[in-house]
Amino acid sequence: MAVTRIDKSQLKIGMFVEAIEGAWQDSPTLGRRFTIRSGHEIDMIRNSNVSAVFINTALGRSISSADHPSRAGNIGTASKHEKLQTSRKIQAQAAEARSLIEDVFEGRILKAEAFTPLVQDVARTMEENPSLYIGMSRMRSRDNATFVHSLAVAALLLHFGRSMHMDDESVEQLCMAGILHDIGKLTISKEVLQKQGPLSAAERDLMEQHPQRGYDLLSTHAKMPQLVLDICRSHHERPDGKGYPDKLKGAEIGTEVRMSTICDVFDALTSARPYKKGWSSQQALSWMMSREDQFDKALLWQFILSLDPEMTKGIL
């Protein structure tokens, strides 16, 4: 057994906790031997009276030489240099997402495996500082908005899936679905996509065609995962049946699709646009909680619990 004692500030998603040093009454649901699955679990331990943690590197992730207690603080305490580095990485990921989306849109032969490197890179970045994906629109240009939004939704879905203890394949497909969920918007003119102010009835009808258009486009690619197709087609459906394009209700909408709706709307609300300022995380979550029958409330609570506590002040 390869057991190593580390400071609680060095915890990472994927580590296997063999034992805890210090008082541990914060969460009876987490046993003395468990795998760290989410940032929420890390925060609970960091904010507790635990003094140190023993991890089993034979059963989970090890601590690399690059990790050090002085650098591995809470998400909200990352240095300006670290945030700048991560922001640059996110911009590079957005460029890669754009390239993949355009390859699919242009009908180039593309296997699901082509998304794996980007999915893995997003996963690593989420572990380092997930809060930097929130409000990513602050660095998006008008012609790049769809691609950066897609990457943000992909990152949120990956994080959400992990917090729900989904298997690795499902989490990877969630991330891929986030990247591709708005691909149908590429069939709509920039005049409509980038219009400042309200859309006309005809323009709104056109915009509401993008899920169906995206689904039709993705369906032409062999071996496209069904989960990706479902999220592309149905991420604007609502439990109350007032969504589109199929006006599905309740249980007709799969769990993963409901998760995608939450991530999609959350990023849209926290994003700055030419015609609006982005809301804070707290404002967005409060508004979403107030919308009766628009979201799966149980899943919305799960999403809120998966976020950094600094983002949910006043909600919990």
Side-chain angles (χ1 to χ4, degrees):
M1 184 185 297
V3 177
T4 303
R5 182 184 182 277
I6 65 171
D7 188 88
K8 63 183 178 181
S9 67
Q10 294 172 284
L11 279 172
K12 299 286 186 182
I13 293 172
M15 287 182 171
F16 186 90
V17 176
E18 190 69 44
I20 295 290
E21 182 178 280
W24 179 239
Q25 291 95 17
D26 296 88
S27 178
T29 61
L30 295 179
R32 288 301 177 106
R33 301 180 78 245
F34 60 95
T35 300
I36 297 291
R37 300 287 187 186
S38 70
H40 179 61
E41 293 176 355
I42 291 175
D43 288 334
M44 283 197 299
I45 295 174
R46 286 178 179 169
N47 296 328
S48 72
N49 293 322
V50 168
S51 54
V53 179
F54 293 88
I55 61 169
N56 187 336
T57 56
L59 298 177
R61 177 178 174 177
S62 63
I63 182 167
S64 70
S65 58
D67 287 325
H68 190 275
S70 63
R71 295 187 59 216
N74 192 281
I75 287 170
T77 60
S79 70
K80 289 184 179 179
H81 177 68
E82 289 172 321
K83 289 183 178 180
L84 178 61
Q85 284 186 319
T86 307
S87 293
R88 286 173 177 167
K89 183 183 292 185
I90 290 174
Q91 291 183 59
Q93 291 170 353
E96 177 64 18
R98 177 171 189 158
S99 176
L100 288 168
I101 292 169
E102 289 179 339
D103 280 347
V104 175
F105 182 72
E106 295 294 335
R108 300 185 184 100
I109 297 175
L110 193 68
K111 295 182 180 179
E113 289 77 12
F115 288 79
T116 300
L118 178 57
V119 170
Q120 292 175 342
D121 197 30
V122 169
R124 284 191 294 270
T125 307
M126 286 296 288
E127 291 174 11
E128 292 167 5
N129 202 327
S131 65
L132 290 183
Y133 279 100
I134 306 301
M136 280 175 56
S137 62
R138 287 157 183 75
M139 63 185 186
R140 51 181 97 169
S141 60
R142 289 179 69 182
D143 65 338
N144 207 36
T146 295
F147 306 106
V148 181
H149 168 68
S150 296
L151 178 63
V153 173
L156 289 169
L157 272 171
L158 183 147
H159 183 66
F160 197 1
R162 280 183 164 179
S163 75
M164 298 277 287
H165 300 172
M166 292 183 171
D167 61 85
D168 291 343
E169 182 179 4
S170 296
V171 169
E172 288 179 8
Q173 288 188 6
L174 279 173
C175 189
M176 181 179 176
I179 294 169
L180 293 172
H181 79 286
D182 267 346
I183 193 170
K185 286 185 177 179
L186 299 190
T187 68
I188 296 172
S189 69
K190 286 186 178 180
E191 288 74 22
V192 175
L193 282 178
Q194 299 176 359
K195 182 178 179 180
Q196 299 188 36
L199 299 177
S200 67
E203 290 168 338
R204 180 161 294 282
D205 286 343
L206 180 62
M207 277 294 292
E208 291 186 357
Q209 292 176 26
H210 81 267
Q212 179 68 56
R213 292 185 179 196
Y215 174 84
D216 291 343
L217 192 153
L218 293 181
S219 296
T220 65
H221 289 264
K223 297 183 180 179
M224 183 63 64
Q226 187 61 46
L227 178 58
V228 176
L229 293 172
D230 290 344
I231 287 177
C232 180
R233 182 185 182 94
S234 302
H235 64 278
H236 282 290
E237 299 289 356
R238 295 171 39 157
D240 61 5
K242 295 180 181 179
Y244 59 89
D246 300 308
K247 303 210 177 289
L248 302 178
K249 289 184 178 182
E252 295 176 326
I253 308 170
T255 298
E256 293 85 355
V257 173
R258 298 184 214 182
M259 292 169 64
S260 74
T261 301
I262 290 169
C263 295
D264 183 43
V265 173
F266 178 73
D267 182 68
L269 292 175
T270 55
S271 299
R273 299 291 171 85
Y275 51 86
K276 78 170 185 72
K277 182 180 179 180
W279 290 0
S280 70
S281 299
Q282 294 92 335
Q283 287 174 313
L285 293 170
S286 294
W287 182 87
M288 292 170 73
M289 286 298 296
S290 72
R291 304 296 290 179
E292 292 298 327
D293 301 321
Q294 185 169 345
F295 306 99
D296 182 317
K297 287 298 176 64
L299 281 177
L300 182 53
W301 273 115
Q302 289 283 345
F303 177 71
I304 291 170
L305 290 171
S306 78
L307 297 176
D308 188 290
E310 288 298 312
M311 301 178 194
T312 58
K313 282 183 177 178
I315 305 295
L316 298 176

